[in-house]
């Protein structure tokens, strides 16, 4: 069975969706370890409750970002994962780390990429008067939130929406999309080739395989 390592920084709601999907047979793989850069991240408790190895690495214990990322990669490699999944991991990964897992690292980002890379995407969408927002699953490359998009889902933004309203709407989509894409990868349907995402042998367009 294919092995997955998940990186988190916070609550781990997407991690929980992946755990549930594995337990329910919706993902043909096993999450073997969860790593966080924050020891108090609630997602680590979710991992422990599911019987998954949970680890926290403190960046302050390392000389610099390169040293931290190298230590994290060495720790990940102890589990020999087929796929590394970023699920709310809030540190920017350096190029050697990204290159180490090129083509087998996924991220989920709360915007319709390439719109709104980086942080505070929901607030930006509201402040800019957007009528829709969404989420994107993509392969990780050295460009921040710039890797090939695999799948997106859109949600409406209604007049009077608060940020929490939009966040809840987006997360509901994320919890469906991410397990689906992870299963595509572990079953061999999804690959990154020539810096593009390919699903079932078909080159996906820049916005990925859209799912409204």
């Amino acid at each position: 069975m294919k092995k997955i390592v998940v990186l988190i920084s916070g609550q781990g709601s997407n991690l929980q969706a992946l755990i549930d999907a594995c337990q329910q047979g919706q993902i043909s793989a096993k999450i073997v370890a969860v790593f966080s850069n924050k020891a108090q991240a609630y997602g680590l408790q979710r991992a422990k409750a599911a019987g998954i190895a949970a680890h926290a690495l403190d960046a302050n214990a390392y000389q610099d970002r390169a040293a931290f990322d190298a230590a994290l990669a060495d720790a990940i490699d102890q589990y020999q994962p087929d796929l590394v999944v970023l699920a709310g991991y809030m540190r920017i990964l350096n190029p050697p780390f990204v290159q180490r897992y090129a083509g087998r690292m996924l991220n989920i980002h709360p915007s319709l990429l390439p719109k709104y890379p980086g942080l505070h995407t929901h607030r930006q969408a509201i402040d800019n008067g957007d009528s829709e927002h969404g989420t994107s699953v993509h392969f990780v490359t050295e460009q921040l939130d710039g890797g090939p998009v695999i799948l997106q889902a859109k949600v409406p933004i209604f007049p009077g929406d608060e940020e929490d309203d939009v966040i809840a709407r987006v997360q509901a989509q994320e919890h469906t999309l991410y397990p689906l894409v992870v299963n595509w990868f572990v079953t061999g349907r999804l690959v990154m080739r020539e810096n593009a995402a390919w699903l079932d042998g078909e080159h996906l367009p820049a916005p990925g395989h859209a799912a409204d």
Side-chain angles (χ1 to χ4, degrees):
M1 181 173 283
K2 296 289 179 70
K3 294 184 289 187
I4 300 169
V5 165
V6 182
L7 306 188
I8 64 165
S9 292
Q11 291 293 308
S13 68
N14 273 306
L15 167 64
Q16 189 64 58
L18 295 170
I19 291 171
D20 293 344
C22 287
Q23 292 175 341
Q24 295 162 11
Q26 296 169 3
I27 295 176
S28 300
K30 180 181 181 181
I31 299 173
V32 292
V34 173
F35 288 86
S36 177
N37 62 309
K38 296 183 180 296
Q40 302 305 314
Y42 182 65
L44 293 174
Q45 300 306 314
R46 296 180 187 271
K48 291 174 183 176
I52 299 168
H55 305 277
L57 276 73
D58 181 3
N60 293 325
Y62 297 88
Q63 181 178 357
D64 53 26
R65 186 162 65 98
F68 175 85
D69 281 1
L72 175 61
D74 288 343
I76 289 171
D77 284 352
Q78 296 298 310
Y79 290 93
Q80 298 182 312
D82 298 284
L83 177 65
V84 176
V85 175
L86 308 184
Y89 186 68
M90 301 306 291
R91 283 180 61 88
I92 295 174
L93 297 164
N94 70 358
F97 186 101
V98 173
Q99 292 162 9
R100 193 161 174 166
Y101 301 106
R104 55 189 181 109
M105 184 159 54
L106 300 176
N107 184 45
I108 191 161
H109 180 75
S111 81
L112 297 172
L113 291 171
K115 203 170 191 178
Y116 307 135
L119 301 175
H120 310 302
T121 63
H122 312 293
R123 173 49 52 195
Q124 290 183 71
I126 293 171
D127 289 347
N128 289 334
D130 294 355
S131 62
E132 65 180 15
H133 191 44
T135 186
S136 307
V137 182
H138 65 95
F139 280 106
V140 177
T141 64
E142 293 176 35
Q143 181 183 356
L144 177 64
D145 298 325
V149 172
I150 301 157
L151 186 63
Q152 293 184 325
K154 298 175 183 177
V155 302
I157 298 178
F158 299 112
D161 268 346
E162 299 290 338
E163 191 170 2
D164 285 347
D165 300 319
V166 179
I167 289 172
R169 221 169 280 142
V170 169
Q171 284 187 340
Q173 292 293 326
E174 288 182 340
H175 297 166
T176 300
L177 257 64
Y178 218 3
L180 178 63
V181 173
V182 167
N183 193 55
W184 285 349
F185 184 90
V186 298
T187 55
R189 296 180 57 190
L190 172 68
V191 297
M192 187 174 81
R193 190 165 69 240
E194 300 165 358
N195 201 39
W198 295 71
L199 180 65
D200 295 331
E202 297 290 331
H203 179 281
L204 294 180
H209 180 74
D212 292 325

